[in-house]
Amino acid sequence: EVVEQLGAIAVLVNNAGGGALVTMEGPYEDWKRQIDLNLMSVIIVSKAVWPSMVARGGGVILNASSMAARITLYGIAAYSSAKAGIVMLTKSMAAEGGAHGIRANCVVPGNVLTPALKAYFDATEDPAATLAGAEADTALGRIGQPEDIAEAYLFLASDAASWITGTDLLIDGGQTLGQH
């Protein structure tokens, strides 16, 4: 419908997702919900847009993963697995899309002060201390802002990134360096 109403899609950003506590012992339904929300949504939307990008001779697909694809914590096995799957899916899209002029890249954010993360911090016993702890967990000493991630998307969608495909760009302020 979008292609019919607005024309060919040049850039697709798959940015849906959300985490929930799902351990290895968690119910299958909880695992399925996490995989569907975080990985299958990327597959479904990308497959819907793919033919129009092939027909127009190219396009850019940008997928949102998470630092949870690289490091994990207790209780987020389903989320981490789905986000790691996005990284490899992106590489597969790049490998298949290159012949059609389609570039696919993945943004891998660390903690970003979104409304959801702020609500999480606010729900803790000491929100200011929780935020300070998150900031201290980064090499740059600050939590990410939505604009930090938006700039990466803008770059990857632009002609300045015309020779970048199949990459997973970690944007975490040094959170995953492990030096803290």
Side-chain angles (χ1 to χ4, degrees), residues 11-65:
V11 178
L12 168 64
V13 176
N14 286 302
N15 194 39
L21 184 67
V22 181
T23 65
M24 290 300 299
E25 296 173 355
Y28 170 78
E29 294 78 22
D30 292 350
W31 272 84
K32 184 171 181 346
R33 208 172 2 266
Q34 283 293 292
I35 299 299
D36 285 350
L37 173 62
N38 291 292
L39 179 58
M40 287 305 299
S41 64
V42 175
I43 295 168
I44 291 166
V45 175
S46 296
K47 282 182 63 57
V49 169
W50 192 270
S52 72
M53 286 188 173
V54 169
R56 78 180 290 275
V60 177
I61 298 175
L62 302 173
N63 298 321
S65 181

mmCIF file of all heavy atoms in Angstrom, residues 11-65:
data_model
loop_
_atom_site.group_PDB
_atom_site.id
_atom_site.type_symbol
_atom_site.label_atom_id
_atom_site.label_comp_id
_atom_site.label_asym_id
_atom_site.label_seq_id
_atom_site.Cartn_x
_atom_site.Cartn_y
_atom_site.Cartn_z
ATOM 1 N N VAL A 11 14.506 4.121 1.775
ATOM 2 C CA VAL A 11 15.144 3.786 3.047
ATOM 3 C C VAL A 11 14.106 3.161 3.975
ATOM 4 O O VAL A 11 13.014 3.708 4.152
ATOM 5 C CB VAL A 11 15.749 5.040 3.737
ATOM 6 C CG1 VAL A 11 16.356 4.689 5.084
ATOM 7 C CG2 VAL A 11 16.784 5.710 2.839
ATOM 8 N N LEU A 12 14.477 2.027 4.552
ATOM 9 C CA LEU A 12 13.647 1.361 5.551
ATOM 10 C C LEU A 12 14.437 1.301 6.851
ATOM 11 O O LEU A 12 15.588 0.853 6.859
ATOM 12 C CB LEU A 12 13.303 -0.067 5.104
ATOM 13 C CG LEU A 12 12.680 -0.974 6.172
ATOM 14 C CD1 LEU A 12 11.322 -0.456 6.612
ATOM 15 C CD2 LEU A 12 12.581 -2.403 5.649
ATOM 16 N N VAL A 13 13.833 1.746 7.931
ATOM 17 C CA VAL A 13 14.437 1.615 9.251
ATOM 18 C C VAL A 13 13.555 0.680 10.073
ATOM 19 O O VAL A 13 12.410 0.998 10.363
ATOM 20 C CB VAL A 13 14.584 2.977 9.965
ATOM 21 C CG1 VAL A 13 15.136 2.792 11.372
ATOM 22 C CG2 VAL A 13 15.464 3.914 9.155
ATOM 23 N N ASN A 14 14.096 -0.475 10.417
ATOM 24 C CA ASN A 14 13.410 -1.429 11.283
ATOM 25 C C ASN A 14 13.850 -1.140 12.711
ATOM 26 O O ASN A 14 14.946 -1.500 13.118
ATOM 27 C CB ASN A 14 13.795 -2.867 10.909
ATOM 28 C CG ASN A 14 13.149 -3.310 9.628
ATOM 29 O OD1 ASN A 14 11.937 -3.301 9.505
ATOM 30 N ND2 ASN A 14 13.966 -3.707 8.652
ATOM 31 N N ASN A 15 12.985 -0.466 13.476
ATOM 32 C CA ASN A 15 13.370 -0.015 14.802
ATOM 33 C C ASN A 15 12.388 -0.460 15.877
ATOM 34 O O ASN A 15 12.310 0.139 16.934
ATOM 35 C CB ASN A 15 13.506 1.515 14.805
ATOM 36 C CG ASN A 15 14.218 2.018 16.034
ATOM 37 O OD1 ASN A 15 15.170 1.418 16.502
ATOM 38 N ND2 ASN A 15 13.744 3.130 16.571
ATOM 39 N N ALA A 16 11.635 -1.496 15.614
ATOM 40 C CA ALA A 16 10.717 -2.009 16.638
ATOM 41 C C ALA A 16 11.478 -2.908 17.584
ATOM 42 O O ALA A 16 12.506 -3.478 17.231
ATOM 43 C CB ALA A 16 9.587 -2.788 15.983
ATOM 44 N N GLY A 17 10.990 -3.033 18.773
ATOM 45 C CA GLY A 17 11.611 -3.964 19.697
ATOM 46 C C GLY A 17 11.271 -3.653 21.138
ATOM 47 O O GLY A 17 10.690 -2.619 21.447
ATOM 48 N N GLY A 18 11.674 -4.549 21.982
ATOM 49 C CA GLY A 18 11.462 -4.379 23.407
ATOM 50 C C GLY A 18 11.911 -5.624 24.136
ATOM 51 O O GLY A 18 11.824 -6.725 23.598
ATOM 52 N N GLY A 19 12.409 -5.422 25.311
ATOM 53 C CA GLY A 19 12.918 -6.539 26.093
ATOM 54 C C GLY A 19 11.978 -6.905 27.226
ATOM 55 O O GLY A 19 11.175 -6.097 27.671
ATOM 56 N N ALA A 20 12.095 -8.125 27.651
ATOM 57 C CA ALA A 20 11.351 -8.631 28.797
ATOM 58 C C ALA A 20 12.186 -9.723 29.441
ATOM 59 O O ALA A 20 13.001 -10.359 28.778
ATOM 60 C CB ALA A 20 9.995 -9.183 28.377
ATOM 61 N N LEU A 21 11.991 -9.927 30.712
ATOM 62 C CA LEU A 21 12.718 -10.967 31.431
ATOM 63 C C LEU A 21 12.222 -12.336 30.957
ATOM 64 O O LEU A 21 11.070 -12.702 31.183
ATOM 65 C CB LEU A 21 12.494 -10.822 32.936
ATOM 66 C CG LEU A 21 13.272 -11.784 33.816
ATOM 67 C CD1 LEU A 21 14.773 -11.496 33.733
ATOM 68 C CD2 LEU A 21 12.800 -11.688 35.253
ATOM 69 N N VAL A 22 13.087 -13.031 30.230
ATOM 70 C CA VAL A 22 12.770 -14.384 29.760
ATOM 71 C C VAL A 22 14.047 -15.205 29.894
ATOM 72 O O VAL A 22 15.004 -14.999 29.164
ATOM 73 C CB VAL A 22 12.288 -14.416 28.294
ATOM 74 C CG1 VAL A 22 11.949 -15.847 27.881
ATOM 75 C CG2 VAL A 22 11.096 -13.502 28.084
ATOM 76 N N THR A 23 14.044 -16.119 30.845
ATOM 77 C CA THR A 23 15.212 -16.962 31.075
ATOM 78 C C THR A 23 15.123 -18.228 30.231
ATOM 79 O O THR A 23 14.121 -18.485 29.566
ATOM 80 C CB THR A 23 15.306 -17.370 32.559
ATOM 81 O OG1 THR A 23 14.169 -18.187 32.870
ATOM 82 C CG2 THR A 23 15.330 -16.152 33.472
ATOM 83 N N MET A 24 16.149 -19.043 30.310
ATOM 84 C CA MET A 24 16.134 -20.333 29.607
ATOM 85 C C MET A 24 14.991 -21.214 30.101
ATOM 86 O O MET A 24 14.497 -22.054 29.375
ATOM 87 C CB MET A 24 17.472 -21.058 29.792
ATOM 88 C CG MET A 24 18.629 -20.414 29.058
ATOM 89 S SD MET A 24 18.389 -20.320 27.269
ATOM 90 C CE MET A 24 18.242 -22.051 26.848
ATOM 91 N N GLU A 25 14.574 -21.006 31.325
ATOM 92 C CA GLU A 25 13.474 -21.792 31.878
ATOM 93 C C GLU A 25 12.122 -21.156 31.599
ATOM 94 O O GLU A 25 11.087 -21.715 31.958
ATOM 95 C CB GLU A 25 13.676 -21.972 33.381
ATOM 96 C CG GLU A 25 14.928 -22.773 33.698
ATOM 97 C CD GLU A 25 15.231 -22.826 35.189
ATOM 98 O OE1 GLU A 25 14.533 -22.174 35.985
ATOM 99 O OE2 GLU A 25 16.185 -23.537 35.533
ATOM 100 N N GLY A 26 12.124 -20.001 30.943
ATOM 101 C CA GLY A 26 10.876 -19.297 30.649
ATOM 102 C C GLY A 26 10.000 -20.061 29.687
ATOM 103 O O GLY A 26 10.483 -20.890 28.899
ATOM 104 N N PRO A 27 8.700 -19.800 29.723
ATOM 105 C CA PRO A 27 7.763 -20.490 28.844
ATOM 106 C C PRO A 27 8.051 -20.219 27.365
ATOM 107 O O PRO A 27 8.486 -19.127 26.990
ATOM 108 C CB PRO A 27 6.402 -19.917 29.225
ATOM 109 C CG PRO A 27 6.599 -19.132 30.455
ATOM 110 C CD PRO A 27 8.045 -18.840 30.592
ATOM 111 N N TYR A 28 7.788 -21.205 26.547
ATOM 112 C CA TYR A 28 7.969 -21.092 25.104
ATOM 113 C C TYR A 28 7.249 -19.861 24.561
ATOM 114 O O TYR A 28 7.773 -19.165 23.696
ATOM 115 C CB TYR A 28 7.473 -22.368 24.412
ATOM 116 C CG TYR A 28 7.403 -22.239 22.917
ATOM 117 C CD1 TYR A 28 8.560 -22.323 22.139
ATOM 118 C CD2 TYR A 28 6.191 -22.014 22.278
ATOM 119 C CE1 TYR A 28 8.506 -22.185 20.758
ATOM 120 C CE2 TYR A 28 6.118 -21.882 20.902
ATOM 121 C CZ TYR A 28 7.278 -21.955 20.146
ATOM 122 O OH TYR A 28 7.214 -21.811 18.788
ATOM 123 N N GLU A 29 6.056 -19.580 25.046
ATOM 124 C CA GLU A 29 5.267 -18.447 24.551
ATOM 125 C C GLU A 29 6.004 -17.129 24.778
ATOM 126 O O GLU A 29 5.939 -16.229 23.941
ATOM 127 C CB GLU A 29 3.880 -18.405 25.225
ATOM 128 C CG GLU A 29 2.990 -19.575 24.869
ATOM 129 C CD GLU A 29 3.355 -20.858 25.649
ATOM 130 O OE1 GLU A 29 3.988 -20.776 26.726
ATOM 131 O OE2 GLU A 29 3.016 -21.944 25.140
ATOM 132 N N ASP A 30 6.697 -16.987 25.916
ATOM 133 C CA ASP A 30 7.462 -15.763 26.182
ATOM 134 C C ASP A 30 8.639 -15.641 25.223
ATOM 135 O O ASP A 30 8.968 -14.551 24.752
ATOM 136 C CB ASP A 30 7.950 -15.735 27.629
ATOM 137 C CG ASP A 30 6.813 -15.586 28.633
ATOM 138 O OD1 ASP A 30 5.660 -15.309 28.213
ATOM 139 O OD2 ASP A 30 7.066 -15.745 29.842
ATOM 140 N N TRP A 31 9.294 -16.766 24.943
ATOM 141 C CA TRP A 31 10.378 -16.780 23.962
ATOM 142 C C TRP A 31 9.849 -16.367 22.597
ATOM 143 O O TRP A 31 10.440 -15.526 21.918
ATOM 144 C CB TRP A 31 11.002 -18.181 23.873
ATOM 145 C CG TRP A 31 12.091 -18.392 24.858
ATOM 146 C CD1 TRP A 31 11.954 -18.767 26.157
ATOM 147 C CD2 TRP A 31 13.498 -18.239 24.622
ATOM 148 N NE1 TRP A 31 13.188 -18.853 26.746
ATOM 149 C CE2 TRP A 31 14.150 -18.543 25.818
ATOM 150 C CE3 TRP A 31 14.242 -17.879 23.506
ATOM 151 C CZ2 TRP A 31 15.527 -18.481 25.943
ATOM 152 C CZ3 TRP A 31 15.622 -17.820 23.622
ATOM 153 C CH2 TRP A 31 16.250 -18.122 24.839
ATOM 154 N N LYS A 32 8.738 -16.959 22.193
ATOM 155 C CA LYS A 32 8.161 -16.663 20.885
ATOM 156 C C LYS A 32 7.797 -15.190 20.780
ATOM 157 O O LYS A 32 8.052 -14.547 19.748
ATOM 158 C CB LYS A 32 6.936 -17.547 20.623
ATOM 159 C CG LYS A 32 6.369 -17.340 19.222
ATOM 160 C CD LYS A 32 5.308 -18.347 18.905
ATOM 161 C CE LYS A 32 4.704 -18.217 17.531
ATOM 162 N NZ LYS A 32 4.926 -17.039 16.759
ATOM 163 N N ARG A 33 7.230 -14.617 21.822
ATOM 164 C CA ARG A 33 6.856 -13.201 21.823
ATOM 165 C C ARG A 33 8.094 -12.322 21.603
ATOM 166 O O ARG A 33 8.067 -11.372 20.813
ATOM 167 C CB ARG A 33 6.152 -12.863 23.136
ATOM 168 C CG ARG A 33 5.180 -11.745 23.042
ATOM 169 C CD ARG A 33 4.309 -11.508 24.286
ATOM 170 N NE ARG A 33 4.511 -12.325 25.458
ATOM 171 C CZ ARG A 33 3.835 -13.448 25.756
ATOM 172 N NH1 ARG A 33 2.913 -13.898 24.942
ATOM 173 N NH2 ARG A 33 4.074 -14.099 26.859
ATOM 174 N N GLN A 34 9.199 -12.651 22.281
ATOM 175 C CA GLN A 34 10.428 -11.875 22.122
ATOM 176 C C GLN A 34 11.026 -12.028 20.721
ATOM 177 O O GLN A 34 11.466 -11.044 20.120
ATOM 178 C CB GLN A 34 11.463 -12.285 23.174
ATOM 179 C CG GLN A 34 11.204 -11.712 24.549
ATOM 180 C CD GLN A 34 11.369 -10.204 24.553
ATOM 181 O OE1 GLN A 34 12.463 -9.685 24.396
ATOM 182 N NE2 GLN A 34 10.263 -9.501 24.737
ATOM 183 N N ILE A 35 11.045 -13.243 20.203
ATOM 184 C CA ILE A 35 11.590 -13.481 18.862
ATOM 185 C C ILE A 35 10.708 -12.805 17.813
ATOM 186 O O ILE A 35 11.209 -12.176 16.876
ATOM 187 C CB ILE A 35 11.739 -14.994 18.577
ATOM 188 C CG1 ILE A 35 12.703 -15.651 19.582
ATOM 189 C CG2 ILE A 35 12.160 -15.236 17.134
ATOM 190 C CD1 ILE A 35 14.115 -15.118 19.582
ATOM 191 N N ASP A 36 9.394 -12.901 17.966
ATOM 192 C CA ASP A 36 8.482 -12.262 17.011
ATOM 193 C C ASP A 36 8.645 -10.747 17.015
ATOM 194 O O ASP A 36 8.742 -10.120 15.948
ATOM 195 C CB ASP A 36 7.022 -12.617 17.323
ATOM 196 C CG ASP A 36 6.650 -14.034 16.926
ATOM 197 O OD1 ASP A 36 7.455 -14.705 16.228
ATOM 198 O OD2 ASP A 36 5.559 -14.482 17.330
ATOM 199 N N LEU A 37 8.668 -10.144 18.185
ATOM 200 C CA LEU A 37 8.770 -8.686 18.292
ATOM 201 C C LEU A 37 10.114 -8.177 17.796
ATOM 202 O O LEU A 37 10.182 -7.203 17.046
ATOM 203 C CB LEU A 37 8.559 -8.247 19.748
ATOM 204 C CG LEU A 37 8.800 -6.769 20.052
ATOM 205 C CD1 LEU A 37 7.834 -5.888 19.261
ATOM 206 C CD2 LEU A 37 8.675 -6.512 21.544
ATOM 207 N N ASN A 38 11.186 -8.829 18.189
ATOM 208 C CA ASN A 38 12.517 -8.291 17.943
ATOM 209 C C ASN A 38 13.203 -8.787 16.676
ATOM 210 O O ASN A 38 14.072 -8.089 16.152
ATOM 211 C CB ASN A 38 13.415 -8.577 19.147
ATOM 212 C CG ASN A 38 12.997 -7.779 20.347
ATOM 213 O OD1 ASN A 38 13.125 -6.575 20.365
ATOM 214 N ND2 ASN A 38 12.453 -8.450 21.358
ATOM 215 N N LEU A 39 12.847 -9.946 16.177
ATOM 216 C CA LEU A 39 13.504 -10.481 14.980
ATOM 217 C C LEU A 39 12.521 -10.680 13.825
ATOM 218 O O LEU A 39 12.756 -10.203 12.722
ATOM 219 C CB LEU A 39 14.218 -11.799 15.304
ATOM 220 C CG LEU A 39 14.930 -12.498 14.148
ATOM 221 C CD1 LEU A 39 15.980 -11.602 13.500
ATOM 222 C CD2 LEU A 39 15.557 -13.808 14.633
ATOM 223 N N MET A 40 11.430 -11.361 14.080
ATOM 224 C CA MET A 40 10.484 -11.641 12.988
ATOM 225 C C MET A 40 9.897 -10.359 12.416
ATOM 226 O O MET A 40 9.625 -10.287 11.205
ATOM 227 C CB MET A 40 9.371 -12.589 13.449
ATOM 228 C CG MET A 40 9.831 -14.025 13.639
ATOM 229 S SD MET A 40 10.622 -14.743 12.175
ATOM 230 C CE MET A 40 9.302 -14.667 10.974
ATOM 231 N N SER A 41 9.714 -9.337 13.224
ATOM 232 C CA SER A 41 9.186 -8.070 12.698
ATOM 233 C C SER A 41 10.124 -7.497 11.642
ATOM 234 O O SER A 41 9.671 -6.970 10.620
ATOM 235 C CB SER A 41 8.982 -7.063 13.835
ATOM 236 O OG SER A 41 10.225 -6.729 14.444
ATOM 237 N N VAL A 42 11.433 -7.628 11.858
ATOM 238 C CA VAL A 42 12.420 -7.143 10.887
ATOM 239 C C VAL A 42 12.319 -7.956 9.594
ATOM 240 O O VAL A 42 12.363 -7.399 8.488
ATOM 241 C CB VAL A 42 13.844 -7.218 11.480
ATOM 242 C CG1 VAL A 42 14.903 -6.844 10.446
ATOM 243 C CG2 VAL A 42 13.963 -6.326 12.717
ATOM 244 N N ILE A 43 12.173 -9.255 9.728
ATOM 245 C CA ILE A 43 12.053 -10.123 8.556
ATOM 246 C C ILE A 43 10.785 -9.794 7.771
ATOM 247 O O ILE A 43 10.821 -9.614 6.541
ATOM 248 C CB ILE A 43 12.072 -11.615 8.973
ATOM 249 C CG1 ILE A 43 13.440 -11.973 9.574
ATOM 250 C CG2 ILE A 43 11.709 -12.517 7.809
ATOM 251 C CD1 ILE A 43 13.481 -13.319 10.283
ATOM 252 N N ILE A 44 9.667 -9.685 8.461
ATOM 253 C CA ILE A 44 8.374 -9.460 7.799
ATOM 254 C C ILE A 44 8.369 -8.137 7.035
ATOM 255 O O ILE A 44 7.990 -8.075 5.860
ATOM 256 C CB ILE A 44 7.225 -9.526 8.828
ATOM 257 C CG1 ILE A 44 7.069 -10.969 9.327
ATOM 258 C CG2 ILE A 44 5.929 -8.988 8.241
ATOM 259 C CD1 ILE A 44 6.216 -11.110 10.572
ATOM 260 N N VAL A 45 8.790 -7.057 7.688
ATOM 261 C CA VAL A 45 8.761 -5.747 7.032
ATOM 262 C C VAL A 45 9.790 -5.680 5.903
ATOM 263 O O VAL A 45 9.503 -5.166 4.821
ATOM 264 C CB VAL A 45 8.963 -4.611 8.062
ATOM 265 C CG1 VAL A 45 9.052 -3.257 7.373
ATOM 266 C CG2 VAL A 45 7.830 -4.602 9.084
ATOM 267 N N SER A 46 10.970 -6.219 6.133
ATOM 268 C CA SER A 46 12.007 -6.195 5.093
ATOM 269 C C SER A 46 11.575 -6.982 3.859
ATOM 270 O O SER A 46 11.802 -6.541 2.720
ATOM 271 C CB SER A 46 13.326 -6.744 5.636
ATOM 272 O OG SER A 46 13.809 -5.913 6.670
ATOM 273 N N LYS A 47 10.968 -8.140 4.078
ATOM 274 C CA LYS A 47 10.483 -8.936 2.940
ATOM 275 C C LYS A 47 9.386 -8.189 2.184
ATOM 276 O O LYS A 47 9.307 -8.286 0.956
ATOM 277 C CB LYS A 47 9.974 -10.294 3.409
ATOM 278 C CG LYS A 47 11.088 -11.286 3.715
ATOM 279 C CD LYS A 47 10.571 -12.645 4.124
ATOM 280 C CE LYS A 47 9.788 -13.381 3.091
ATOM 281 N NZ LYS A 47 10.435 -13.645 1.803
ATOM 282 N N ALA A 48 8.574 -7.419 2.880
ATOM 283 C CA ALA A 48 7.512 -6.663 2.218
ATOM 284 C C ALA A 48 8.081 -5.530 1.363
ATOM 285 O O ALA A 48 7.548 -5.229 0.293
ATOM 286 C CB ALA A 48 6.543 -6.092 3.261
ATOM 287 N N VAL A 49 9.173 -4.926 1.799
ATOM 288 C CA VAL A 49 9.772 -3.794 1.096
ATOM 289 C C VAL A 49 10.760 -4.250 0.017
ATOM 290 O O VAL A 49 10.962 -3.563 -0.987
ATOM 291 C CB VAL A 49 10.468 -2.868 2.125
ATOM 292 C CG1 VAL A 49 11.333 -1.819 1.455
ATOM 293 C CG2 VAL A 49 9.421 -2.212 3.010
ATOM 294 N N TRP A 50 11.371 -5.408 0.209
ATOM 295 C CA TRP A 50 12.436 -5.900 -0.671
ATOM 296 C C TRP A 50 12.092 -5.820 -2.163
ATOM 297 O O TRP A 50 12.872 -5.277 -2.951
ATOM 298 C CB TRP A 50 12.811 -7.325 -0.255
ATOM 299 C CG TRP A 50 14.060 -7.852 -0.877
ATOM 300 C CD1 TRP A 50 14.170 -8.539 -2.059
ATOM 301 C CD2 TRP A 50 15.384 -7.739 -0.350
ATOM 302 N NE1 TRP A 50 15.476 -8.874 -2.290
ATOM 303 C CE2 TRP A 50 16.251 -8.388 -1.253
ATOM 304 C CE3 TRP A 50 15.918 -7.154 0.803
ATOM 305 C CZ2 TRP A 50 17.619 -8.481 -1.046
ATOM 306 C CZ3 TRP A 50 17.278 -7.245 1.010
ATOM 307 C CH2 TRP A 50 18.125 -7.893 0.094
ATOM 308 N N PRO A 51 10.938 -6.336 -2.599
ATOM 309 C CA PRO A 51 10.643 -6.305 -4.036
ATOM 310 C C PRO A 51 10.631 -4.884 -4.621
ATOM 311 O O PRO A 51 11.075 -4.673 -5.747
ATOM 312 C CB PRO A 51 9.261 -6.953 -4.148
ATOM 313 C CG PRO A 51 9.143 -7.796 -2.916
ATOM 314 C CD PRO A 51 9.895 -7.054 -1.851
ATOM 315 N N SER A 52 10.138 -3.914 -3.863
ATOM 316 C CA SER A 52 10.110 -2.543 -4.383
ATOM 317 C C SER A 52 11.523 -1.971 -4.480
ATOM 318 O O SER A 52 11.816 -1.205 -5.397
ATOM 319 C CB SER A 52 9.216 -1.640 -3.535
ATOM 320 O OG SER A 52 9.806 -1.361 -2.277
ATOM 321 N N MET A 53 12.415 -2.354 -3.571
ATOM 322 C CA MET A 53 13.798 -1.894 -3.652
ATOM 323 C C MET A 53 14.517 -2.550 -4.825
ATOM 324 O O MET A 53 15.292 -1.901 -5.525
ATOM 325 C CB MET A 53 14.547 -2.153 -2.342
ATOM 326 C CG MET A 53 14.151 -1.221 -1.232
ATOM 327 S SD MET A 53 15.231 -1.415 0.205
ATOM 328 C CE MET A 53 14.644 -0.074 1.230
ATOM 329 N N VAL A 54 14.243 -3.815 -5.053
ATOM 330 C CA VAL A 54 14.822 -4.499 -6.220
ATOM 331 C C VAL A 54 14.333 -3.809 -7.492
ATOM 332 O O VAL A 54 15.121 -3.505 -8.400
ATOM 333 C CB VAL A 54 14.465 -6.008 -6.220
ATOM 334 C CG1 VAL A 54 14.829 -6.660 -7.545
ATOM 335 C CG2 VAL A 54 15.165 -6.716 -5.056
ATOM 336 N N ALA A 55 13.036 -3.524 -7.569
ATOM 337 C CA ALA A 55 12.456 -2.899 -8.759
ATOM 338 C C ALA A 55 13.026 -1.503 -9.009
ATOM 339 O O ALA A 55 13.223 -1.114 -10.158
ATOM 340 C CB ALA A 55 10.935 -2.834 -8.637
ATOM 341 N N ARG A 56 13.313 -0.753 -7.952
ATOM 342 C CA ARG A 56 13.845 0.610 -8.133
ATOM 343 C C ARG A 56 15.352 0.613 -8.334
ATOM 344 O O ARG A 56 15.945 1.650 -8.579
ATOM 345 C CB ARG A 56 13.427 1.516 -6.986
ATOM 346 C CG ARG A 56 14.201 1.361 -5.688
ATOM 347 C CD ARG A 56 13.728 2.311 -4.579
ATOM 348 N NE ARG A 56 14.039 3.697 -4.793
ATOM 349 C CZ ARG A 56 15.193 4.285 -4.470
ATOM 350 N NH1 ARG A 56 16.162 3.593 -3.915
ATOM 351 N NH2 ARG A 56 15.376 5.565 -4.694
ATOM 352 N N GLY A 57 15.996 -0.557 -8.186
ATOM 353 C CA GLY A 57 17.435 -0.648 -8.406
ATOM 354 C C GLY A 57 18.271 -0.295 -7.195
ATOM 355 O O GLY A 57 19.461 0.003 -7.312
ATOM 356 N N GLY A 58 17.678 -0.361 -6.016
ATOM 357 C CA GLY A 58 18.456 -0.131 -4.810
ATOM 358 C C GLY A 58 17.633 0.435 -3.680
ATOM 359 O O GLY A 58 16.444 0.720 -3.809
ATOM 360 N N GLY A 59 18.306 0.584 -2.569
ATOM 361 C CA GLY A 59 17.691 1.113 -1.364
ATOM 362 C C GLY A 59 18.587 0.830 -0.182
ATOM 363 O O GLY A 59 19.663 0.225 -0.321
ATOM 364 N N VAL A 60 18.152 1.290 0.971
ATOM 365 C CA VAL A 60 18.913 1.111 2.199
ATOM 366 C C VAL A 60 17.987 0.529 3.261
ATOM 367 O O VAL A 60 16.890 1.051 3.488
ATOM 368 C CB VAL A 60 19.494 2.454 2.706
ATOM 369 C CG1 VAL A 60 20.233 2.264 4.020
ATOM 370 C CG2 VAL A 60 20.402 3.088 1.662
ATOM 371 N N ILE A 61 18.445 -0.539 3.880
ATOM 372 C CA ILE A 61 17.719 -1.122 5.012
ATOM 373 C C ILE A 61 18.605 -0.974 6.237
ATOM 374 O O ILE A 61 19.769 -1.391 6.240
ATOM 375 C CB ILE A 61 17.383 -2.607 4.769
ATOM 376 C CG1 ILE A 61 16.471 -2.751 3.550
ATOM 377 C CG2 ILE A 61 16.736 -3.220 6.012
ATOM 378 C CD1 ILE A 61 16.165 -4.183 3.150
ATOM 379 N N LEU A 62 18.048 -0.357 7.265
ATOM 380 C CA LEU A 62 18.762 -0.149 8.521
ATOM 381 C C LEU A 62 17.999 -0.843 9.638
ATOM 382 O O LEU A 62 16.808 -0.590 9.834
ATOM 383 C CB LEU A 62 18.892 1.348 8.825
ATOM 384 C CG LEU A 62 19.610 2.161 7.744
ATOM 385 C CD1 LEU A 62 19.542 3.646 8.049
ATOM 386 C CD2 LEU A 62 21.048 1.699 7.593
ATOM 387 N N ASN A 63 18.683 -1.727 10.335
ATOM 388 C CA ASN A 63 18.057 -2.525 11.380
ATOM 389 C C ASN A 63 18.606 -2.146 12.739
ATOM 390 O O ASN A 63 19.814 -1.940 12.896
ATOM 391 C CB ASN A 63 18.317 -4.015 11.116
ATOM 392 C CG ASN A 63 17.711 -4.468 9.816
ATOM 393 O OD1 ASN A 63 16.613 -4.056 9.452
ATOM 394 N ND2 ASN A 63 18.422 -5.310 9.086
ATOM 395 N N ALA A 64 17.735 -2.095 13.725
ATOM 396 C CA ALA A 64 18.140 -1.801 15.097
ATOM 397 C C ALA A 64 18.371 -3.106 15.842
ATOM 398 O O ALA A 64 17.481 -3.935 15.954
ATOM 399 C CB ALA A 64 17.065 -0.984 15.810
ATOM 400 N N SER A 65 19.575 -3.264 16.348
ATOM 401 C CA SER A 65 19.892 -4.381 17.224
ATOM 402 C C SER A 65 20.036 -3.810 18.631
ATOM 403 O O SER A 65 19.289 -2.910 19.013
ATOM 404 C CB SER A 65 21.171 -5.083 16.743
ATOM 405 O OG SER A 65 21.477 -6.183 17.573
#
